[in-house]
Amino acid sequence: MALAVTSSSSTSIAFSSSNSRTEQGVLQLSSSNFQPLDRSPAALNLSLNRSAAVKRLNAEPKRNDSIVPSAATTFAPDVVDKAVEVDDIEKLAKNLENASPLEIMDKALEKYGNDIAIAFSGAEDVALIEYAHLTGRPFRVFSLDTGRLNPETYKFFDTVEKHYGIHIEYMFPDAVEVQALVRTKGLFSFYEDGHQECCRVRKVRPLRRALKGLRAWITGQRKDQSPGTRSEVPVVQVDPVFEGMDGGSGSLVKWNPVANVAGNDIWNFLRTMDVPVNSLHAQGYVSIGCEPCTRSVLPGQHEREGRWWWEDAKAKECGLHKGNLKEENVNGNGAAANGKESSAKSDIFESQNVVNLSRPGIENLVKMEDRKEPWMVVLYAPWCPFCQAMEASYVELADKLAGNGVKVGKFRADGDQKAYAQQELQLGSFPTILFFPKHASRPIKYQSEKRDVESLMAFINALR
């Protein structure tokens, strides 16, 4: 299916999806008349009572922030709906609650035509593009290029464009805002004061500009992605945060076709349909974002644990889906809303060969300039999944070193002790592992993410 649009100024713009075939015909539109040549169900559903004048979405002042000029041409309706009826959307969500992702996608594209677009992050939400392709309807795809994505993600974008015969509409952050942030706080300020500010500049504001050119958008949110923030995501909703092209609260509709689909089922679908996927998935990455803020997850860990892993928050959101956050969740710096981390988990690293250091104990260890024995100490939080994941190997290490001239200890560095650990003990994220040599006052930080017994032992043997 292809859509060719021609204005009176002789400027021609074409949209196409991978289902375009010459034998199916082309829907031709001109400034004076239009004649549909394709009568198949896949034809774009344009209302006959729309004006014959061709206008760009950014032709009007309220639409200056339309997504991409090359994909922003459509008919201007005679009557513009100023706001979305919440009751209607809630009724629609209820009717589609048990519908398949394909049925939901088809309904979304049918209802909004060229005024809706798929938000594509370069991860498993490529399933959305496949579903849209299977409907046989024209569709648009946009993505936020933060300037900090993995090389594999950029390559994947190119692969997806060629596979489906589409052009992804990229949105970029404002150069002046990025420049100000980096010059003021450096390239990696998010490790110190939370990721929200960087995400706001590189992702949220570009998204806001993109959505100003739409009446609806399609996301890959699933209920099982983040139990803390997405467990109640409906298949369609009035967007609680962003505005659409008509402006004002309630002017944008948000579609989540795979909200009720489990992650395993998404992957079964991708494999069955032989859909191209990001090569990072084969390296243990599940949820994929910016390169500095994303890493692979360990077996048994939740997919969102690989995002902003240095933060203590249960709510792993960047602000694109801020409406998911409940009042009791997190503040802008990724800390718990009451300023304290959860203490529901019992303590870890419990072993007779692991010394539990108190605050005075760790302070004395730091002050010693001539230690009788070297020490290996982990700075941890019992609720941290990465600390929990290394518990077995650390206890095994302590057992192996028992009686061999190296002491093994632990210091709980969350809560009231976190500020001290950050200032005096090089705490960046949990867990942080330190080695205190016999004849050196300053501890040496273990930099590798490999926390198996062999890697930790090699680190110790290189220093003692």
Side-chain angles (χ1 to χ4, degrees), residues 13 31 34 44 62 88 93 98 118 129 134 147 151 153 159 171 178 196 280 287 290 303 356 363 438 451:
I13 300 177
S31 60
F34 68 92
L44 179 63
K62 64 182 178 182
D88 292 344
N98 297 317
I118 297 170
I129 300 178
L134 292 174
T153 299
T159 300
M171 292 300 296
V178 173
Q196 296 295 334
L280 288 173
S287 179
C290 293
E303 61 185 83
N356 187 8
E363 288 178 339
K438 289 177 65 175
R451 303 183 183 112

Side-chain angles (χ1 to χ4, degrees), residues 3-219:
L3 170 59
V5 181
T6 307
S7 68
S8 57
S9 61
S10 300
T11 300
S12 178
I13 300 177
F15 305 90
S16 66
S17 64
S18 60
N19 57 301
S20 301
R21 290 181 174 85
T22 56
E23 65 268 24
Q24 289 181 334
V26 178
L27 180 61
Q28 297 178 332
L29 309 176
S30 70
S31 60
S32 59
N33 60 72
F34 68 92
Q35 178 63 42
L37 302 182
D38 180 8
R39 298 181 180 179
S40 68
L44 179 63
N45 186 18
L46 292 176
S47 173
L48 294 179
N49 62 359
R50 287 193 169 195
S51 167
V54 177
K55 297 182 180 180
R56 292 185 181 273
L57 290 183
N58 58 0
E60 299 174 339
K62 64 182 178 182
R63 297 179 183 178
N64 282 341
D65 292 326
S66 175
I67 291 186
V68 173
S70 64
T73 304
T74 186
F75 280 104
D78 293 330
V79 178
V80 178
D81 296 331
K82 290 300 182 183
V84 177
E85 292 293 337
V86 175
D87 292 342
D88 292 344
I89 296 300
E90 290 180 349
K91 181 179 179 180
L92 182 61
K94 185 175 181 181
N95 292 338
L96 294 174
E97 178 65 21
N98 297 317
S100 68
L102 183 60
E103 183 179 353
I104 298 169
M105 178 68 74
D106 185 69
K107 185 67 176 179
L109 297 178
E110 176 193 28
K111 188 173 179 65
Y112 291 98
N114 195 53
D115 291 340
I116 191 172
I118 297 170
F120 178 48
S121 70
E124 78 276 16
D125 52 359
V126 67
L128 297 175
I129 300 178
E130 178 65 16
Y131 281 123
H133 166 66
L134 292 174
T135 68
R137 300 181 185 276
F139 59 95
R140 297 169 64 183
V141 180
F142 76 94
S143 188
L144 307 176
D145 184 351
T146 65
R148 307 296 296 270
L149 304 179
N150 295 79
E152 292 86 348
T153 299
Y154 288 112
K155 292 179 182 178
F156 181 47
F157 285 150
D158 183 65
T159 300
V160 168
E161 287 188 318
K162 292 177 180 176
H163 182 82
Y164 291 101
I166 62 175
H167 291 290
I168 298 173
E169 305 171 24
Y170 296 102
M171 292 300 296
F172 302 92
D174 182 270
V176 174
E177 290 185 347
V178 173
Q179 179 175 285
L181 175 63
V182 172
R183 285 184 174 180
T184 303
K185 294 190 172 183
L187 285 168
F188 301 100
S189 60
F190 40 82
Y191 288 139
E192 300 174 358
D193 55 17
H195 68 273
Q196 296 295 334
E197 182 177 19
C198 184
C199 285
R200 185 164 54 250
V201 170
R202 294 181 181 270
K203 298 175 71 173
V204 177
R205 288 175 181 165
L207 176 66
R208 192 177 300 278
R209 295 199 306 270
L211 296 179
K212 275 289 190 177
L214 299 170
R215 294 176 60 210
W217 63 310
I218 302 170
T219 85

